[in-house]
Structures are given as C-alpha cells and as structure tokens.
Amino acid sequence: MRSSTKKKVDPLSYHLTPKHELLTAEQAFEVLKSLGVTPDQLPWMRASDPVAKAIGARPGDLVKVTRKNPLGGEVVIYRYIISG
Amino acid sequence: MLTEAAAKRLDQKLSELSNLLSPKMIEDIRKALSSHQVEMSEDEVDQILDIIVHDYVGSLVEAGEPVGVISAQSIGEPGTQMTLRTFHYAGVRELNVTLGLPRLIEIVDARKIPSTPMMTIYLTDEYKDNREKALDAARKIEFTKVENVIASTSMDISSMSITFRLDPDLMEDKGVTKEDVKKVISRLKIGEYTVEEDGEYTLILNFATLENVSSLFKVREKVLSSKLKGVKGIKRAIVQKRGNEYVIITDGSNLEGVIGVKGIDVTRIETNNIHEVEQLFGVEAARELIVREIKRVLDEQGLDVDIRHIILVSDIMSRTGVIRQIGRHGISGEKLSVLARASFEVTVKHLLEAAAKGEMEEFKGVMENIIIGQPISVGTGMVELSMKLR
C-alpha cells in the first residue's frame, strides 16, 4: 500500500518530546568543562534522529535537553550527536 | 500558620536552599508550613528546615552506590508478584490490551511490534466535539477490504462469472458505497470483464476471456482482498468519549499512516509502539514513552515502584541514541568484560569468541569480580590505593 502521506511532522511539537536546544561550540565547551567529561561519555543522539534533523544538529554537536521531571521541576541533560 | 517574622524567615531560608532542593520540594514545604494549624515561631521554622535538609542530604545517592542493582531489585521483586497472564480491556469491550508481565518483558526487550498495538487518537478542535465528524475520521482510518462489506459470493463456472452480494448494513457502518467498490475493482489488473448489476446490492462480473476455474478463483481472491479505504495495520477504530471530547481508539498502530488523515491532532496522538515513536519523533520521545508504559503496567497491577528506577532503565535503554533492549542483543551483550557477558546468556559462545579474538579481562565490573572472588568496585570497594615507588 502506498503510504497515505509523505506529510512532514514537527517532532518538537509532539507531546512526549522534551525541549531540545542546539549548543554553540563555546557553550558546549563550557558544559563539558563544568561536567568534567569527554563528549562520548554523554548520552548520544544520532544525526539521523528526527529531532536532530529538525534543529539542524550535526555530528559533534551537543544538544541540551530539558525534560520535565515527574518528581517536579526540570532535568537538564546533554546529548552528543554522533553520525548514523 | 506562621507568625509574620517566621514567614519572613521561611522565605529567606528557602531562597538560600533553592540550590539544594528542587523547586517542587520548596513549594511543598512552603505550603505545608503555612497551612499548618499550630502557630510556629522563627526558631521552630529553623528547626524544621534543618531536619528536612538533614534528611534530604542523607537520602541522596552516594558516590559508588550501585543504583543499577537497586533498580533491578526494585523492579524485579514486585515483578514476581505480577499475574502472569492478564488481559485488560482498555475502556472498550472490544479491545483487549496486553498488560502485566508479558507487556513488561515486551518493553524491556524493545520489541519492534507490541503484541497488541493500540493507538489513542485525539482530534483537532473542529472534529473533537462532533460525534459525526469523529466517526467520519474513524472510518477514514479503519482499514477496510472489499471482503469486509460483502455478504456472500458465488461463482458460475458455466458462464465464468462471479456474483458479489454486498451487505447494506456493513456498507453503512464502514461508510462505503457501491460505486466505491466498483471503482476499486476497476483498478485491479484482472483482465477484461463486464459488470452487471442485479438489484441495488449485487454485482456480477463476467469474464469471457478466462480459461479455467482456478484463474476464476484467483480473481475472486484478488477482488476480496483489495483495499477499499483506511490506513494499513488499523484493524478497528472505535470512537469514544473521553472527558469532554471524542477520541478514536484503534486496534493496530501505524503512526506514519495516520498523521496524514484530516482532523487528527498529531501532537497528542498516543501509541504503545515505542519503535514507531522513535522513528517519527526521536529517542527522547521514545524514552519518555518507555517510562510511561512501564509505569502504566506497574500501576495497573497495583505495584508501587519508585519512578526513579524506571527512569534509570529508560535512560540506559536510550543511551546510544537508539532504543536498545536489555538483554543479550542489547545492553548486556555490549558489556566490555567477557566474563560478565558469559555469565548472562549463551556462555560458551562468548567464551569461545573471546578466546579466538584474544580479548583482555580488566576486572573492572561487578560480575567478573564476583566470579573470581574479589571485592567488587562498588561502595567502599571503589577505593583504590596507589603507592609511589622510590
């Protein structure tokens, strides 16, 4: 069957998707320094991920993800964009 | 109740603590103290806050605490009390959903297709208050074949013809007309034929060119299994009232197919197929869905598991940017240590491969150290001594 749509959806508007922000190189450097980690020790995100595509992230970038914490408040994590 | 001075004191103290405590905790403390029936003085506020901070700091995870093991136990133990096979009817009589242990296993195994895929589709403002329009949208989604609107068929071998008798009730229910059926048939590649109509609900196809009976059977099969309307994979679509709006609940899940249908609110659509969400909305959304699905299964069985354990599981599953299962093809299979992998499943294969490759065992993890009887590097065992040699 032909797929009934080729319609593009914005993954960022989906109710389960948390806020994603692309960091500049300077911001990314600051984050890594304050956490004291190398990028590959962070959780990863593929460059082919729909959200990564939507915010224009390229391999090597850092993305700041602000999740809502079910226990109240917000949790900030960083994801390292890898190719794939 | 607080005296004025005490209230001031509380505000000042809480703003000092805002780095340590989460915003929700601060809000809770403020609410609890100011709504308390007994009047409190400044000193008492101080004391209460001291106890809170002391308890909070004492309950934080310490460096070296084996959180993974604790999570595994905390989910595993209640898991033993789960009913093995439960079928739960999700509000609608006709649909049953796998919950309980089978569903939990399905989630942590990161199966591509759940055993009972299901969607809850919310509608846009224009559609959601109107039952007729909601039904209309549901009809567009439900996958309907010619077979589904037919009462009976018969074949006449002498004249090489097939008679399809349509069912008026079914056609009404699915929102299909006779013209739709004729149109679908005309698009099929079934050779030359002529259509006769006998009454309002009967179609007779005459095939002059067909040679034998078996090809006539084939044509019948082809007609019956051709698609009239709908989205692939959606076996049923039921309209239900939830709160003050109409939603569509489907048996079967196909996010990609459904998002193009008019009247559907893509931002709120729900499915229990984690893989589809990952494909369309990314890992973070899929991670969130894992948390919710596991929580739902545990809640449904009345098991109280702290959500932090579930969050840890979902974080680990989504760490590499794709959802990986917890098992030999996923997280356990990618451990660096040979012994840790071998102790999980398919022992001999791992040992043989490691031997062939000449892998090194570094004895950094828990499992391998237990096997050879060394202290594990967890808690106080994390401490290592080094000595400067002169």
Side-chain angles (χ1 to χ4, degrees):
Chain A
M1 192 196 96
R2 76 197 129 88
S3 170
S4 61
T5 173
K6 277 278 169 270
K7 196 182 152 191
K8 272 274 172 214
V9 280
D10 178 16
L12 291 168
S13 68
Y14 189 56
H15 71 127
L16 291 177
T17 315
K19 193 168 124 201
H20 288 67
E21 289 163 286
L22 186 60
L23 297 187
T24 62
E26 294 84 56
Q27 285 170 324
F29 183 73
E30 279 303 309
V31 166
L32 292 176
K33 214 172 125 190
S34 68
L35 294 175
V37 292
T38 56
D40 62 307
Q41 289 173 317
L42 293 169
W44 302 339
M45 180 187 268
R46 312 256 152 163
S48 58
D49 194 271
V51 175
K53 277 188 195 160
I55 60 172
R58 318 237 357 169
D61 289 343
L62 282 197
V63 174
K64 179 182 177 184
V65 182
T66 313
R67 296 173 185 158
K68 274 206 192 70
N69 190 346
L71 302 163
E74 286 176 337
V75 178
V76 174
I77 67 130
Y78 299 91
R79 277 187 188 269
Y80 176 54
I81 306 286
I82 55 166
S83 62
Chain B
M1 233 172 66
L2 295 164
T3 60
E4 207 168 292
K8 218 180 219 168
R9 183 84 183 152
L10 180 67
D11 278 345
Q12 186 211 334
K13 274 273 194 180
L14 284 182
S15 64
E16 281 170 22
L17 290 173
S18 62
N19 294 332
L20 184 66
L21 306 179
S22 75
K24 179 159 184 278
M25 286 180 69
I26 289 185
E27 219 29 65
D28 286 349
I29 294 169
R30 195 189 303 271
K31 217 182 276 168
L33 289 191
S34 47
S35 65
H36 195 69
Q37 284 164 349
V38 184
E39 197 173 84
M40 275 176 280
S41 67
E42 266 177 88
D43 263 3
E44 282 163 335
V45 167
D46 275 359
Q47 280 174 22
I48 291 170
L49 286 179
D50 281 348
I51 293 172
I52 290 175
V53 169
H54 184 262
D55 271 11
Y56 177 72
V57 172
S59 62
L60 287 177
V61 172
E62 277 177 50
E65 204 164 312
V67 284
V69 176
I70 295 169
S71 277
Q73 290 177 339
S74 305
I75 298 174
E77 193 277 331
T80 60
Q81 299 169 29
M82 289 215 284
T83 335
L84 285 180
R85 275 207 174 274
T86 45
F87 292 99
H88 181 255
Y89 295 89
V92 206
R93 239 176 316 124
E94 295 94 330
L95 290 183
N96 84 55
V97 188
T98 312
L99 282 174
L101 200 60
R103 177 64 186 147
L104 191 66
I105 291 170
E106 212 167 81
I107 299 169
V108 294
D109 274 356
R111 302 253 170 87
K112 286 275 146 70
I113 299 158
S115 58
T116 47
M118 207 185 119
M119 282 194 294
T120 306
I121 300 167
Y122 291 88
L123 301 166
T124 52
D125 292 343
E126 190 192 336
Y127 281 70
K128 72 181 177 190
D129 304 319
N130 189 326
R131 190 179 159 80
E132 284 310 308
K133 282 196 164 173
L135 276 173
D136 204 44
R139 283 195 193 119
K140 272 189 217 151
I141 293 168
E142 192 171 78
F143 189 71
T144 313
K145 291 190 227 169
V146 173
E147 198 175 29
N148 299 121
V149 295
I150 272 183
S152 67
T153 60
S154 58
M155 290 191 293
D156 187 345
I157 298 167
S158 60
S159 65
M160 283 309 231
S161 68
I162 314 173
T163 313
F164 295 99
R165 267 176 293 280
L166 302 168
D167 188 317
D169 293 339
L170 285 175
M171 298 215 325
E172 163 87 39
D173 182 40
K174 312 270 185 199
V176 177
T177 62
K178 189 175 63 178
E179 295 312 310
D180 291 336
V181 179
K182 272 164 85 176
K183 212 160 116 195
V184 167
I185 294 173
S186 72
R187 286 213 199 105
L188 294 172
K189 290 184 186 120
I190 47 172
E192 277 179 34
Y193 65 95
T194 53
V195 187
E196 258 178 72
E197 286 180 36
D198 180 17
E200 203 178 338
Y201 291 111
T202 308
L203 289 177
I204 303 169
L205 305 188
N206 290 308
F207 297 90
T209 51
L210 283 183
E211 305 270 289
N212 50 34
V213 184
S214 71
S215 56
L216 198 63
F217 269 104
K218 262 185 202 152
V219 167
R220 190 184 70 155
E221 277 313 304
K222 216 166 175 180
V223 171
L224 286 181
S225 61
S226 58
K227 174 201 163 190
L228 268 173
K229 64 197 296 190
V231 177
K232 197 180 172 187
I234 309 295
K235 277 175 238 133
R236 295 203 47 149
I238 297 159
V239 174
Q240 224 190 14
K241 187 141 197 178
R242 187 170 289 183
N244 48 10
E245 60 179 315
Y246 287 100
V247 297
I248 301 172
I249 293 170
T250 66
D251 179 7
S253 176
N254 183 351
L255 265 190
E256 213 178 347
V258 159
I259 53 174
V261 179
K262 217 177 142 196
I264 276 163
D265 187 350
V266 180
T267 62
R268 287 194 295 161
I269 194 165
E270 284 171 13
T271 175
N272 60 3
N273 189 331
I274 294 160
H275 184 67
E276 276 185 353
V277 171
E278 188 195 349
Q279 291 293 308
L280 220 60
F281 301 112
V283 253
E284 278 291 331
R287 192 205 74 97
E288 189 64 36
L289 185 62
I290 291 175
V291 175
R292 290 189 185 197
E293 285 286 313
I294 296 181
K295 188 80 189 138
R296 189 166 71 107
V297 170
L298 294 171
D299 281 351
E300 199 268 336
Q301 301 260 325
L303 303 172
D304 186 22
V305 177
D306 195 288
I307 193 146
R308 276 165 280 199
H309 300 308
I310 302 167
I311 290 175
L312 182 71
V313 169
S314 65
D315 274 342
I316 290 293
M317 286 176 74
S318 65
R319 203 193 81 85
T320 54
V322 287
I323 301 297
R324 290 181 307 164
Q325 65 148 268
I326 299 187
R328 119 175 85 101
H329 302 292
I331 288 143
S332 288
E334 283 167 29
K335 283 181 180 167
L336 282 176
S337 160
V338 191
L339 289 179
R341 264 180 285 135
S343 71
F344 183 58
E345 274 169 11
V346 282
T347 312
V348 178
K349 192 184 130 216
H350 282 300
L351 292 178
L352 279 177
E353 270 175 24
K357 280 189 212 155
E359 273 182 58
M360 281 279 280
E361 177 62 68
E362 306 222 10
F363 293 106
K364 290 240 170 91
V366 175
M367 206 57 229
E368 51 271 36
N369 278 308
I370 288 175
I371 290 172
I372 60 160
Q374 273 188 34
I376 53 178
S377 58
V378 145
T380 47
M382 284 229 312
V383 183
E384 278 177 25
L385 292 180
S386 60
M387 197 165 77
K388 234 181 228 162
L389 290 172
R390 281 200 173 253

